[in-house]
Amino acid sequence: MNIKTQTCGELLASYRWIADFFTENHLDLETAKNQTMSDYLASIADEQLEDLALDRDKVLSDFITFVTQMRELLGETAANRVDKLSILPGLNKEGEPEGFDRIDLYPSEIISIVGPTGSGKSRLLQDIEWTASGDTPTRRRILINDEVPDLKWRFSANNKLVAQLSQNMNFVMDLTCYDFLSLHAQSRLVQDAESVIQRILEAANELAGEPFSPHTHVTALSGGQSRALMIADTAILSTSPIVLIDEIENAGIDRRKALNLLLSKEKIVLMATHDPTLALIADRRLIISKGGIANVLDTTDAERRVLSELEIYDLKVQTLRRKLRYGERVDSL
Amino acid sequence: MNLVIVSGPPSSGKTSVILKTCDALKNSGHRVGVVKFDCLHTDDDKLYAAYGIPVKKGLSGALCPDHFFVSNIEEVVQWGIEEKLDILISESAGLCNRCSPYIKDILSVCVIDNLSGINTPKKVGPMLRSADIVVITKGDIVSQAEREVFASRVGQVNPRALTMHVNGLTGQGAYELSTLFYKDDLNLDTVKGMTLKFPMPAALCSYCLGETRIGDEFQQGNVRKMNWEQN
Ligand SMILES: Nc1nc2c(ncn2[C@@H]2O[C@H](COP(=O)(O)OP(=O)(O)OP(=O)(O)O)[C@@H](O)[C@H]2O)c(=O)[nH]1
Ligand SMILES: [Mg+2]
């Protein structure tokens, strides 16, 4: 389909989302339907363009860029696949080489990142997000599928390598959960938005301790509910192949299920944490110290047994919390 | 010298981002200076000075700050050259969303924040649309979904820009931004003869010239009325 020679109406028939471009740029799709974009722009009076603060040539080239980018976002999923992400070592803050040769990360794998606050966890994440190629303070290099990554990962608005789930899940939009998800689905150009939204809501309700309805405003969700909603949303809607989690508080959400949901969507899950349960759930953990990765530890069988014990305590604490909350008396752990 | 023009709505995080970017630039051995343009008041100059950054400020007072910018940028560039700066960064607050201080062939950066709401990209004019780099701040306060929606709206109005997320508080992303601020082979000695990326809006009505009285008989020059039919 040729963007330059097709009428806007024809383009719209294949790409419903070009309507967004018209709305955001204050252009009139109705008038444009029977014309090519360049004819339509030529038909707008100079004064009107000036009022809209638009530049004819720039709008045209922006339109072409936009459609091209969106087509890539839709069709090029193969080119966006990350089957393997590799970290090649650099230097720590003291200029010493890092303590590993190469770390390969694969989809559906959980890696925890541990170390004191300020030890360099965010720098590591930033290196991954920027697909560092020896050009950051750590001199680390990142490879995707064994190759030097395409620069699009650094700069494009819609194609981010890393989705971040931070600890504070505030919302500034005051929308119902349903409307909130619709907006997100729209920005991701999802075709069958309705069913995707239903899937997210179901998944989120399964993760959350207390269920919520599609009509609940996102700002009225409890901490656990909003974490559940954001994790389900990121798993199902976000195109970023890597998810970074900065702690998941152990309240109002089933953390195991949450992680499994992300893994089932073939995400690489990196988890910065001080929580022993989360640190041990991971297949491997990166030990950060003095600004570098000092060591990479595989979780051993003994550690997995410790984890099972820990989970028993976690469960007890949660039960205790629920009982106290509903006014019950407790006599043992 | 390299010149970088940073603009963006009030309080979007321009100073915070510039300070963190200056840190990174200084660490890589560059001499950086800043000029701050504002309308009525700014304390940004004190902040920059406190970080040991050579700084000048220009207050436009009764004039449109972006018009004021264009009338003064050449002198500022000459100051930067005298100060032997490698990089001169200009910070100006975009006030009416209609003007933009960007100059053709000079790196232009728009700083806009996630908190300003998803309809903001649509409202901000050339300041966002014609920027080479769009820096999105305050991502730490909103959810991942909101960050994605906001970035996609930015992509709709300026698909060609490099879009980056920078945290003005922690500086996350500022190092990466700093690598785009300096090109070895660029050596600007004047902006004379260069042109603005986008023309400033038509103005000059009686109120531009100090008229305060209200009523048809006092309205002269470039006067326009609301469109009541479309309302
Ligand atoms: N949470 C958060 N706050 C930020 C971030 N960036 C800036 N701020 C805060 O936002 C406020 C405004 O930041 P400034 O850097 O002064 O904004 P500005 O655009 O320079 O403002 P003016 O020059 O006055 O227009 C300050 O309180 C900053 O600390 C960010 O990424 N996250
Ligand atoms: Mg400022």
PDB file of all heavy atoms in Angstrom, chain A residues 24-25 50-51 58 69 123 126 130 135 155 164 172-173 184 188, chain B residues 98 122 129 144 146-148 152 156 159 163 172 175-176 224:
ATOM      1  N   GLU A  24      -4.885  14.059  16.709  1.00  0.00           N
ATOM      2  CA  GLU A  24      -3.809  14.684  17.485  1.00  0.00           C
ATOM      3  C   GLU A  24      -3.273  15.926  16.785  1.00  0.00           C
ATOM      4  O   GLU A  24      -2.747  16.823  17.410  1.00  0.00           O
ATOM      5  CB  GLU A  24      -2.666  13.692  17.736  1.00  0.00           C
ATOM      6  CG  GLU A  24      -3.013  12.594  18.717  1.00  0.00           C
ATOM      7  CD  GLU A  24      -3.292  13.110  20.130  1.00  0.00           C
ATOM      8  OE1 GLU A  24      -2.491  13.894  20.656  1.00  0.00           O
ATOM      9  OE2 GLU A  24      -4.330  12.728  20.704  1.00  0.00           O
ATOM     10  N   ASN A  25      -3.364  15.963  15.461  1.00  0.00           N
ATOM     11  CA  ASN A  25      -2.822  17.109  14.731  1.00  0.00           C
ATOM     12  C   ASN A  25      -3.902  18.091  14.279  1.00  0.00           C
ATOM     13  O   ASN A  25      -3.655  18.939  13.424  1.00  0.00           O
ATOM     14  CB  ASN A  25      -1.981  16.630  13.543  1.00  0.00           C
ATOM     15  CG  ASN A  25      -0.692  15.976  14.007  1.00  0.00           C
ATOM     16  OD1 ASN A  25       0.209  16.641  14.474  1.00  0.00           O
ATOM     17  ND2 ASN A  25      -0.626  14.650  13.915  1.00  0.00           N
ATOM     18  N   GLU A  50      -1.615  28.162   9.608  1.00  0.00           N
ATOM     19  CA  GLU A  50      -0.897  29.026  10.528  1.00  0.00           C
ATOM     20  C   GLU A  50      -1.606  29.035  11.884  1.00  0.00           C
ATOM     21  O   GLU A  50      -0.975  28.968  12.930  1.00  0.00           O
ATOM     22  CB  GLU A  50      -0.828  30.429   9.944  1.00  0.00           C
ATOM     23  CG  GLU A  50       0.236  31.290  10.598  1.00  0.00           C
ATOM     24  CD  GLU A  50       0.142  32.725  10.118  1.00  0.00           C
ATOM     25  OE1 GLU A  50      -0.112  32.935   8.910  1.00  0.00           O
ATOM     26  OE2 GLU A  50       0.301  33.614  10.961  1.00  0.00           O
ATOM     27  N   ASP A  51      -2.937  29.092  11.842  1.00  0.00           N
ATOM     28  CA  ASP A  51      -3.698  29.063  13.082  1.00  0.00           C
ATOM     29  C   ASP A  51      -3.468  27.776  13.851  1.00  0.00           C
ATOM     30  O   ASP A  51      -3.480  27.744  15.069  1.00  0.00           O
ATOM     31  CB  ASP A  51      -5.197  29.178  12.789  1.00  0.00           C
ATOM     32  CG  ASP A  51      -5.624  30.635  12.744  1.00  0.00           C
ATOM     33  OD1 ASP A  51      -4.773  31.499  13.035  1.00  0.00           O
ATOM     34  OD2 ASP A  51      -6.787  30.900  12.410  1.00  0.00           O
ATOM     35  N   LYS A  58       6.103  19.509   6.761  1.00  0.00           N
ATOM     36  CA  LYS A  58       6.449  18.718   7.941  1.00  0.00           C
ATOM     37  C   LYS A  58       5.308  17.743   8.263  1.00  0.00           C
ATOM     38  O   LYS A  58       5.558  16.586   8.580  1.00  0.00           O
ATOM     39  CB  LYS A  58       6.718  19.650   9.131  1.00  0.00           C
ATOM     40  CG  LYS A  58       6.820  18.951  10.471  1.00  0.00           C
ATOM     41  CD  LYS A  58       8.155  19.200  11.139  1.00  0.00           C
ATOM     42  CE  LYS A  58       8.231  18.731  12.583  1.00  0.00           C
ATOM     43  NZ  LYS A  58       8.072  17.296  12.800  1.00  0.00           N
ATOM     44  N   GLN A  69       6.150   3.819  10.697  1.00  0.00           N
ATOM     45  CA  GLN A  69       6.490   3.303  12.034  1.00  0.00           C
ATOM     46  C   GLN A  69       5.419   2.368  12.578  1.00  0.00           C
ATOM     47  O   GLN A  69       5.706   1.322  13.139  1.00  0.00           O
ATOM     48  CB  GLN A  69       6.636   4.470  13.023  1.00  0.00           C
ATOM     49  CG  GLN A  69       7.936   5.207  12.926  1.00  0.00           C
ATOM     50  CD  GLN A  69       7.987   6.382  13.898  1.00  0.00           C
ATOM     51  OE1 GLN A  69       7.033   6.662  14.616  1.00  0.00           O
ATOM     52  NE2 GLN A  69       9.116   7.071  13.916  1.00  0.00           N
ATOM     53  N   ARG A 123      21.934   1.623  37.207  1.00  0.00           N
ATOM     54  CA  ARG A 123      22.864   1.766  36.075  1.00  0.00           C
ATOM     55  C   ARG A 123      22.794   0.525  35.182  1.00  0.00           C
ATOM     56  O   ARG A 123      22.793   0.622  33.968  1.00  0.00           O
ATOM     57  CB  ARG A 123      24.279   1.983  36.613  1.00  0.00           C
ATOM     58  CG  ARG A 123      25.363   2.231  35.593  1.00  0.00           C
ATOM     59  CD  ARG A 123      25.187   3.547  34.843  1.00  0.00           C
ATOM     60  NE  ARG A 123      24.720   3.342  33.483  1.00  0.00           N
ATOM     61  CZ  ARG A 123      24.277   4.300  32.679  1.00  0.00           C
ATOM     62  NH1 ARG A 123      24.203   5.537  33.077  1.00  0.00           N
ATOM     63  NH2 ARG A 123      23.876   4.022  31.465  1.00  0.00           N
ATOM     64  N   GLN A 126      19.711   0.694  33.194  1.00  0.00           N
ATOM     65  CA  GLN A 126      19.844   1.745  32.201  1.00  0.00           C
ATOM     66  C   GLN A 126      20.716   1.258  31.039  1.00  0.00           C
ATOM     67  O   GLN A 126      20.430   1.545  29.878  1.00  0.00           O
ATOM     68  CB  GLN A 126      20.449   2.961  32.895  1.00  0.00           C
ATOM     69  CG  GLN A 126      20.306   4.258  32.153  1.00  0.00           C
ATOM     70  CD  GLN A 126      18.845   4.651  31.962  1.00  0.00           C
ATOM     71  OE1 GLN A 126      17.979   4.251  32.721  1.00  0.00           O
ATOM     72  NE2 GLN A 126      18.582   5.413  30.926  1.00  0.00           N
ATOM     73  N   TRP A 130      19.320   1.130  27.256  1.00  0.00           N
ATOM     74  CA  TRP A 130      20.019   1.941  26.254  1.00  0.00           C
ATOM     75  C   TRP A 130      20.780   1.038  25.283  1.00  0.00           C
ATOM     76  O   TRP A 130      21.425   1.510  24.372  1.00  0.00           O
ATOM     77  CB  TRP A 130      20.981   2.886  26.987  1.00  0.00           C
ATOM     78  CG  TRP A 130      21.742   3.852  26.151  1.00  0.00           C
ATOM     79  CD1 TRP A 130      23.094   3.860  25.941  1.00  0.00           C
ATOM     80  CD2 TRP A 130      21.234   4.995  25.426  1.00  0.00           C
ATOM     81  NE1 TRP A 130      23.443   4.923  25.161  1.00  0.00           N
ATOM     82  CE2 TRP A 130      22.321   5.638  24.817  1.00  0.00           C
ATOM     83  CE3 TRP A 130      19.950   5.524  25.236  1.00  0.00           C
ATOM     84  CZ2 TRP A 130      22.176   6.774  24.027  1.00  0.00           C
ATOM     85  CZ3 TRP A 130      19.810   6.651  24.452  1.00  0.00           C
ATOM     86  CH2 TRP A 130      20.917   7.264  23.856  1.00  0.00           C
ATOM     87  N   ASP A 135      29.557   2.502  25.466  1.00  0.00           N
ATOM     88  CA  ASP A 135      29.505   3.960  25.470  1.00  0.00           C
ATOM     89  C   ASP A 135      28.824   4.529  26.708  1.00  0.00           C
ATOM     90  O   ASP A 135      28.325   5.637  26.697  1.00  0.00           O
ATOM     91  CB  ASP A 135      28.811   4.462  24.197  1.00  0.00           C
ATOM     92  CG  ASP A 135      27.400   3.902  24.042  1.00  0.00           C
ATOM     93  OD1 ASP A 135      27.015   3.012  24.836  1.00  0.00           O
ATOM     94  OD2 ASP A 135      26.677   4.351  23.139  1.00  0.00           O
ATOM     95  N   PHE A 155      15.653   4.884  20.741  1.00  0.00           N
ATOM     96  CA  PHE A 155      15.001   6.164  20.504  1.00  0.00           C
ATOM     97  C   PHE A 155      13.523   6.154  20.193  1.00  0.00           C
ATOM     98  O   PHE A 155      12.893   7.184  20.229  1.00  0.00           O
ATOM     99  CB  PHE A 155      15.705   6.874  19.346  1.00  0.00           C
ATOM    100  CG  PHE A 155      17.118   7.215  19.640  1.00  0.00           C
ATOM    101  CD1 PHE A 155      18.142   6.816  18.811  1.00  0.00           C
ATOM    102  CD2 PHE A 155      17.420   7.936  20.783  1.00  0.00           C
ATOM    103  CE1 PHE A 155      19.454   7.140  19.086  1.00  0.00           C
ATOM    104  CE2 PHE A 155      18.727   8.268  21.075  1.00  0.00           C
ATOM    105  CZ  PHE A 155      19.755   7.871  20.222  1.00  0.00           C
ATOM    106  N   GLN A 164       8.939  -1.020  32.759  1.00  0.00           N
ATOM    107  CA  GLN A 164       9.301  -0.983  34.168  1.00  0.00           C
ATOM    108  C   GLN A 164       8.082  -0.991  35.058  1.00  0.00           C
ATOM    109  O   GLN A 164       7.193  -0.181  34.897  1.00  0.00           O
ATOM    110  CB  GLN A 164      10.065   0.303  34.476  1.00  0.00           C
ATOM    111  CG  GLN A 164      11.457   0.300  33.918  1.00  0.00           C
ATOM    112  CD  GLN A 164      12.325   1.341  34.619  1.00  0.00           C
ATOM    113  OE1 GLN A 164      12.280   1.481  35.835  1.00  0.00           O
ATOM    114  NE2 GLN A 164      13.111   2.058  33.846  1.00  0.00           N
ATOM    115  N   VAL A 172      -2.238   9.001  37.266  1.00  0.00           N
ATOM    116  CA  VAL A 172      -2.653  10.395  37.234  1.00  0.00           C
ATOM    117  C   VAL A 172      -3.939  10.558  36.443  1.00  0.00           C
ATOM    118  O   VAL A 172      -4.624  11.540  36.547  1.00  0.00           O
ATOM    119  CB  VAL A 172      -1.570  11.357  36.685  1.00  0.00           C
ATOM    120  CG1 VAL A 172      -0.478  11.521  37.706  1.00  0.00           C
ATOM    121  CG2 VAL A 172      -1.028  10.888  35.364  1.00  0.00           C
ATOM    122  N   MET A 173      -4.266   9.537  35.632  1.00  0.00           N
ATOM    123  CA  MET A 173      -5.530   9.608  34.905  1.00  0.00           C
ATOM    124  C   MET A 173      -6.628   9.090  35.824  1.00  0.00           C
ATOM    125  O   MET A 173      -6.453   8.084  36.488  1.00  0.00           O
ATOM    126  CB  MET A 173      -5.500   8.662  33.709  1.00  0.00           C
ATOM    127  CG  MET A 173      -4.634   9.118  32.600  1.00  0.00           C
ATOM    128  SD  MET A 173      -4.743   7.866  31.323  1.00  0.00           S
ATOM    129  CE  MET A 173      -3.072   7.856  30.768  1.00  0.00           C
ATOM    130  N   HIS A 184      -4.949   2.283  26.625  1.00  0.00           N
ATOM    131  CA  HIS A 184      -3.656   1.646  26.434  1.00  0.00           C
ATOM    132  C   HIS A 184      -3.695   0.737  25.197  1.00  0.00           C
ATOM    133  O   HIS A 184      -2.782   0.741  24.379  1.00  0.00           O
ATOM    134  CB  HIS A 184      -3.265   0.855  27.683  1.00  0.00           C
ATOM    135  CG  HIS A 184      -1.841   0.413  27.676  1.00  0.00           C
ATOM    136  ND1 HIS A 184      -1.360  -0.579  28.474  1.00  0.00           N
ATOM    137  CD2 HIS A 184      -0.783   0.829  26.941  1.00  0.00           C
ATOM    138  CE1 HIS A 184      -0.065  -0.753  28.233  1.00  0.00           C
ATOM    139  NE2 HIS A 184       0.303   0.086  27.317  1.00  0.00           N
ATOM    140  N   ARG A 188      -1.525   0.817  21.564  1.00  0.00           N
ATOM    141  CA  ARG A 188      -0.752  -0.334  21.083  1.00  0.00           C
ATOM    142  C   ARG A 188      -1.323  -0.890  19.783  1.00  0.00           C
ATOM    143  O   ARG A 188      -0.901  -1.931  19.317  1.00  0.00           O
ATOM    144  CB  ARG A 188      -0.725  -1.447  22.139  1.00  0.00           C
ATOM    145  CG  ARG A 188      -0.093  -1.048  23.447  1.00  0.00           C
ATOM    146  CD  ARG A 188       1.325  -1.563  23.549  1.00  0.00           C
ATOM    147  NE  ARG A 188       2.209  -0.931  22.599  1.00  0.00           N
ATOM    148  CZ  ARG A 188       3.160  -0.064  22.915  1.00  0.00           C
ATOM    149  NH1 ARG A 188       3.389   0.268  24.144  1.00  0.00           N
ATOM    150  NH2 ARG A 188       3.920   0.466  21.974  1.00  0.00           N
TER     151      ARG A 188
ATOM    152  N   ARG B  98       2.417  28.230  21.513  1.00  0.00           N
ATOM    153  CA  ARG B  98       2.321  28.505  20.094  1.00  0.00           C
ATOM    154  C   ARG B  98       3.710  28.789  19.508  1.00  0.00           C
ATOM    155  O   ARG B  98       4.026  28.392  18.404  1.00  0.00           O
ATOM    156  CB  ARG B  98       1.387  29.701  19.860  1.00  0.00           C
ATOM    157  CG  ARG B  98       1.305  30.183  18.430  1.00  0.00           C
ATOM    158  CD  ARG B  98       0.841  29.062  17.501  1.00  0.00           C
ATOM    159  NE  ARG B  98       0.696  29.549  16.133  1.00  0.00           N
ATOM    160  CZ  ARG B  98       1.692  29.777  15.302  1.00  0.00           C
ATOM    161  NH1 ARG B  98       2.926  29.577  15.697  1.00  0.00           N
ATOM    162  NH2 ARG B  98       1.456  30.212  14.078  1.00  0.00           N
ATOM    163  N   LYS B 122      -1.116  17.063  22.217  1.00  0.00           N
ATOM    164  CA  LYS B 122      -1.966  17.672  21.209  1.00  0.00           C
ATOM    165  C   LYS B 122      -2.000  19.199  21.357  1.00  0.00           C
ATOM    166  O   LYS B 122      -2.128  19.928  20.394  1.00  0.00           O
ATOM    167  CB  LYS B 122      -3.377  17.107  21.388  1.00  0.00           C
ATOM    168  CG  LYS B 122      -4.292  17.383  20.215  1.00  0.00           C
ATOM    169  CD  LYS B 122      -5.755  17.311  20.588  1.00  0.00           C
ATOM    170  CE  LYS B 122      -6.334  15.938  20.635  1.00  0.00           C
ATOM    171  NZ  LYS B 122      -7.774  15.865  20.742  1.00  0.00           N
ATOM    172  N   ARG B 129       6.284  19.622  18.341  1.00  0.00           N
ATOM    173  CA  ARG B 129       6.245  19.035  17.001  1.00  0.00           C
ATOM    174  C   ARG B 129       7.548  19.138  16.238  1.00  0.00           C
ATOM    175  O   ARG B 129       7.868  18.287  15.434  1.00  0.00           O
ATOM    176  CB  ARG B 129       5.189  19.746  16.152  1.00  0.00           C
ATOM    177  CG  ARG B 129       3.798  19.365  16.488  1.00  0.00           C
ATOM    178  CD  ARG B 129       2.851  20.417  15.958  1.00  0.00           C
ATOM    179  NE  ARG B 129       1.652  20.406  16.753  1.00  0.00           N
ATOM    180  CZ  ARG B 129       0.642  19.605  16.491  1.00  0.00           C
ATOM    181  NH1 ARG B 129       0.686  18.814  15.442  1.00  0.00           N
ATOM    182  NH2 ARG B 129      -0.400  19.597  17.272  1.00  0.00           N
ATOM    183  N   GLN B 144       3.374   2.264  34.261  1.00  0.00           N
ATOM    184  CA  GLN B 144       3.960   1.876  32.975  1.00  0.00           C
ATOM    185  C   GLN B 144       2.966   2.116  31.840  1.00  0.00           C
ATOM    186  O   GLN B 144       3.323   2.626  30.778  1.00  0.00           O
ATOM    187  CB  GLN B 144       4.372   0.395  33.031  1.00  0.00           C
ATOM    188  CG  GLN B 144       4.814  -0.218  31.712  1.00  0.00           C
ATOM    189  CD  GLN B 144       6.126   0.356  31.197  1.00  0.00           C
ATOM    190  OE1 GLN B 144       6.900   0.949  31.929  1.00  0.00           O
ATOM    191  NE2 GLN B 144       6.362   0.208  29.898  1.00  0.00           N
ATOM    192  N   GLU B 146       0.567   4.298  31.623  1.00  0.00           N
ATOM    193  CA  GLU B 146       0.458   5.716  31.314  1.00  0.00           C
ATOM    194  C   GLU B 146       1.683   6.220  30.572  1.00  0.00           C
ATOM    195  O   GLU B 146       1.571   7.035  29.662  1.00  0.00           O
ATOM    196  CB  GLU B 146       0.239   6.522  32.594  1.00  0.00           C
ATOM    197  CG  GLU B 146      -1.194   6.422  33.076  1.00  0.00           C
ATOM    198  CD  GLU B 146      -1.371   6.986  34.469  1.00  0.00           C
ATOM    199  OE1 GLU B 146      -0.792   6.387  35.395  1.00  0.00           O
ATOM    200  OE2 GLU B 146      -2.050   7.996  34.612  1.00  0.00           O
ATOM    201  N   ARG B 147       2.856   5.726  30.960  1.00  0.00           N
ATOM    202  CA  ARG B 147       4.061   6.121  30.224  1.00  0.00           C
ATOM    203  C   ARG B 147       3.928   5.732  28.756  1.00  0.00           C
ATOM    204  O   ARG B 147       4.278   6.481  27.856  1.00  0.00           O
ATOM    205  CB  ARG B 147       5.302   5.428  30.815  1.00  0.00           C
ATOM    206  CG  ARG B 147       5.785   6.037  32.117  1.00  0.00           C
ATOM    207  CD  ARG B 147       7.186   5.533  32.458  1.00  0.00           C
ATOM    208  NE  ARG B 147       7.227   4.129  32.826  1.00  0.00           N
ATOM    209  CZ  ARG B 147       7.046   3.668  34.060  1.00  0.00           C
ATOM    210  NH1 ARG B 147       6.836   4.512  35.047  1.00  0.00           N
ATOM    211  NH2 ARG B 147       7.092   2.385  34.324  1.00  0.00           N
ATOM    212  N   GLU B 148       3.418   4.520  28.520  1.00  0.00           N
ATOM    213  CA  GLU B 148       3.307   4.054  27.130  1.00  0.00           C
ATOM    214  C   GLU B 148       2.285   4.866  26.349  1.00  0.00           C
ATOM    215  O   GLU B 148       2.510   5.214  25.194  1.00  0.00           O
ATOM    216  CB  GLU B 148       2.957   2.556  27.096  1.00  0.00           C
ATOM    217  CG  GLU B 148       4.119   1.692  27.556  1.00  0.00           C
ATOM    218  CD  GLU B 148       3.860   0.190  27.410  1.00  0.00           C
ATOM    219  OE1 GLU B 148       2.856  -0.196  26.777  1.00  0.00           O
ATOM    220  OE2 GLU B 148       4.674  -0.586  27.943  1.00  0.00           O
ATOM    221  N   SER B 152       3.144   7.315  23.181  1.00  0.00           N
ATOM    222  CA  SER B 152       2.561   7.079  21.863  1.00  0.00           C
ATOM    223  C   SER B 152       1.874   8.344  21.355  1.00  0.00           C
ATOM    224  O   SER B 152       1.886   8.626  20.162  1.00  0.00           O
ATOM    225  CB  SER B 152       1.623   5.872  21.876  1.00  0.00           C
ATOM    226  OG  SER B 152       0.310   6.273  22.148  1.00  0.00           O
ATOM    227  N   GLN B 156       2.635  10.478  17.905  1.00  0.00           N
ATOM    228  CA  GLN B 156       1.656  10.872  16.897  1.00  0.00           C
ATOM    229  C   GLN B 156       1.870  12.304  16.416  1.00  0.00           C
ATOM    230  O   GLN B 156       1.589  12.621  15.274  1.00  0.00           O
ATOM    231  CB  GLN B 156       0.235  10.717  17.444  1.00  0.00           C
ATOM    232  CG  GLN B 156      -0.204   9.261  17.462  1.00  0.00           C
ATOM    233  CD  GLN B 156      -1.434   9.031  18.322  1.00  0.00           C
ATOM    234  OE1 GLN B 156      -1.971   9.944  18.927  1.00  0.00           O
ATOM    235  NE2 GLN B 156      -1.868   7.789  18.370  1.00  0.00           N
ATOM    236  N   PRO B 159       6.542  12.148  15.021  1.00  0.00           N
ATOM    237  CA  PRO B 159       7.058  10.789  14.836  1.00  0.00           C
ATOM    238  C   PRO B 159       8.555  10.725  14.549  1.00  0.00           C
ATOM    239  O   PRO B 159       9.166   9.689  14.711  1.00  0.00           O
ATOM    240  CB  PRO B 159       6.252  10.251  13.650  1.00  0.00           C
ATOM    241  CG  PRO B 159       5.613  11.422  13.007  1.00  0.00           C
ATOM    242  CD  PRO B 159       5.549  12.525  14.016  1.00  0.00           C
ATOM    243  N   THR B 163      12.799   9.923  21.021  1.00  0.00           N
ATOM    244  CA  THR B 163      12.053  10.074  22.267  1.00  0.00           C
ATOM    245  C   THR B 163      12.776   9.349  23.391  1.00  0.00           C
ATOM    246  O   THR B 163      13.107   8.173  23.256  1.00  0.00           O
ATOM    247  CB  THR B 163      10.643   9.492  22.103  1.00  0.00           C
ATOM    248  OG1 THR B 163      10.058  10.099  20.968  1.00  0.00           O
ATOM    249  CG2 THR B 163       9.792   9.784  23.317  1.00  0.00           C
ATOM    250  N   GLN B 172      18.414   9.356  35.952  1.00  0.00           N
ATOM    251  CA  GLN B 172      18.374   8.171  35.101  1.00  0.00           C
ATOM    252  C   GLN B 172      18.052   8.584  33.661  1.00  0.00           C
ATOM    253  O   GLN B 172      17.064   9.271  33.419  1.00  0.00           O
ATOM    254  CB  GLN B 172      17.306   7.202  35.617  1.00  0.00           C
ATOM    255  CG  GLN B 172      17.480   5.817  35.077  1.00  0.00           C
ATOM    256  CD  GLN B 172      16.422   4.841  35.613  1.00  0.00           C
ATOM    257  OE1 GLN B 172      15.545   5.215  36.374  1.00  0.00           O
ATOM    258  NE2 GLN B 172      16.512   3.601  35.213  1.00  0.00           N
ATOM    259  N   TYR B 175      22.693  10.577  31.333  1.00  0.00           N
ATOM    260  CA  TYR B 175      23.977  10.264  30.690  1.00  0.00           C
ATOM    261  C   TYR B 175      23.754  10.017  29.199  1.00  0.00           C
ATOM    262  O   TYR B 175      24.462  10.550  28.345  1.00  0.00           O
ATOM    263  CB  TYR B 175      24.628   9.028  31.335  1.00  0.00           C
ATOM    264  CG  TYR B 175      25.847   8.615  30.560  1.00  0.00           C
ATOM    265  CD1 TYR B 175      27.061   9.242  30.791  1.00  0.00           C
ATOM    266  CD2 TYR B 175      25.759   7.676  29.531  1.00  0.00           C
ATOM    267  CE1 TYR B 175      28.168   8.929  30.027  1.00  0.00           C
ATOM    268  CE2 TYR B 175      26.856   7.358  28.767  1.00  0.00           C
ATOM    269  CZ  TYR B 175      28.067   7.977  29.014  1.00  0.00           C
ATOM    270  OH  TYR B 175      29.138   7.674  28.243  1.00  0.00           O
ATOM    271  N   GLU B 176      22.738   9.206  28.903  1.00  0.00           N
ATOM    272  CA  GLU B 176      22.438   8.859  27.517  1.00  0.00           C
ATOM    273  C   GLU B 176      22.095  10.121  26.724  1.00  0.00           C
ATOM    274  O   GLU B 176      22.559  10.312  25.608  1.00  0.00           O
ATOM    275  CB  GLU B 176      21.274   7.870  27.476  1.00  0.00           C
ATOM    276  CG  GLU B 176      21.641   6.444  27.892  1.00  0.00           C
ATOM    277  CD  GLU B 176      21.893   6.279  29.394  1.00  0.00           C
ATOM    278  OE1 GLU B 176      21.573   7.201  30.176  1.00  0.00           O
ATOM    279  OE2 GLU B 176      22.426   5.213  29.774  1.00  0.00           O
ATOM    280  N   ARG B 224      -8.911  39.598  16.251  1.00  0.00           N
ATOM    281  CA  ARG B 224      -9.731  38.502  15.766  1.00  0.00           C
ATOM    282  C   ARG B 224     -10.803  38.144  16.782  1.00  0.00           C
ATOM    283  O   ARG B 224     -10.577  38.226  17.978  1.00  0.00           O
ATOM    284  CB  ARG B 224      -8.861  37.288  15.487  1.00  0.00           C
ATOM    285  CG  ARG B 224      -9.675  36.256  14.782  1.00  0.00           C
ATOM    286  CD  ARG B 224      -8.948  35.181  14.109  1.00  0.00           C
ATOM    287  NE  ARG B 224      -7.596  35.447  13.675  1.00  0.00           N
ATOM    288  CZ  ARG B 224      -6.768  34.446  13.451  1.00  0.00           C
ATOM    289  NH1 ARG B 224      -7.138  33.220  13.658  1.00  0.00           N
ATOM    290  NH2 ARG B 224      -5.554  34.698  13.027  1.00  0.00           N
TER     291      ARG B 224
END
